Amino acid sequence: NPGTATTGYGVVDGNGTRLIHIAHGVISTPPTLGFAERLRLLFEQAQALIAEHGPDSVAVEKLFFSQNVSTGIGVAQARGVIALAGALAGLPIGEFSPLEVKSATVGYGKATKRQVQEMVKVLLNLADVPRPDDAADALGLAICQVQTGLTAARFEAVYRAKGSSSRKSGR
């Protein structure tokens, strides 16, 4: 769940409806840094999380903004460095809209943020709703990635069908 100041991350293991919470949190960058340094820090921390957890794939939220273009640009830049970190690790990148995440977690595309957070808690068998909100959102993306079957095995099949076998295995 990308942002220049705060980016949520969530790591989930699972197959279909079997989900196991591995980790969640946020990557924060100091506001005193320039945008390039904030992006560098975000990239390095994303790489470290990928190295630590060895995911099969990476999911990022699709970009959507209607009014605040400045915020949208920051989110787009953050998405780019996260996608780059995943691509450099040889991982497939899934992109999901908020509507897709809501449908995957709650079963209803117009669910509220609170409903999604509660279902993330239930689906991952957590004692409390994950905090901060950015981390809960990221766990929702991870759940969406697992529940839609957009994991390394599916991406691998697509790569094979296209005649490319250059992607290395994630986990």
Side-chain angles (χ1 to χ4, degrees):
N1 185 30
T4 307
T6 304
T7 296
Y9 68 88
V11 183
V12 171
D13 191 8
N15 186 352
T17 58
R18 187 186 135 270
L19 299 166
I20 300 167
H21 172 265
I22 304 296
H24 71 273
V26 294
I27 299 170
S28 298
T29 62
T32 54
L33 295 178
F35 88 95
E37 283 300 306
R38 290 177 102 172
L39 291 174
R40 180 191 56 78
L41 185 59
L42 175 58
F43 175 73
E44 290 171 350
Q45 290 189 27
Q47 282 187 308
L49 286 167
I50 289 169
E52 177 182 351
H53 295 289
D56 291 327
S57 58
V58 173
V60 293
E61 191 171 56
K62 283 184 182 173
L63 184 59
F64 172 78
F65 61 95
S66 59
Q67 293 181 354
N68 192 339
V69 175
S70 296
T71 300
I73 291 170
V75 170
Q77 291 170 332
R79 273 176 36 96
V81 298
I82 292 166
L84 177 60
L88 288 175
L91 300 174
I93 312 297
E95 297 180 89
F96 301 97
S97 69
L99 183 111
E100 291 170 304
V101 173
K102 291 173 182 182
S103 294
T105 55
V106 180
Y108 176 61
K110 294 186 179 182
T112 66
K113 189 174 195 74
R114 183 69 184 163
Q115 287 172 314
V116 172
Q117 292 171 343
E118 286 295 327
M119 280 307 296
V120 165
K121 176 185 130 186
V122 169
L123 291 169
L124 296 176
N125 197 29
L126 301 173
D128 297 305
V129 169
R131 294 284 177 224
D133 289 352
D134 291 319
D137 293 346
L139 285 168
L141 279 163
I143 291 168
C144 187
Q145 181 98 320
V146 170
Q147 289 190 343
T148 58
L150 294 176
T151 57
R154 182 165 172 204
F155 281 109
E156 193 66 43
V158 170
Y159 281 106
R160 268 192 244 118
K162 291 182 179 179
S164 171
S165 60
S166 62
R167 194 188 88 53
K168 67 178 184 179
S169 177
R171 195 187 272 183

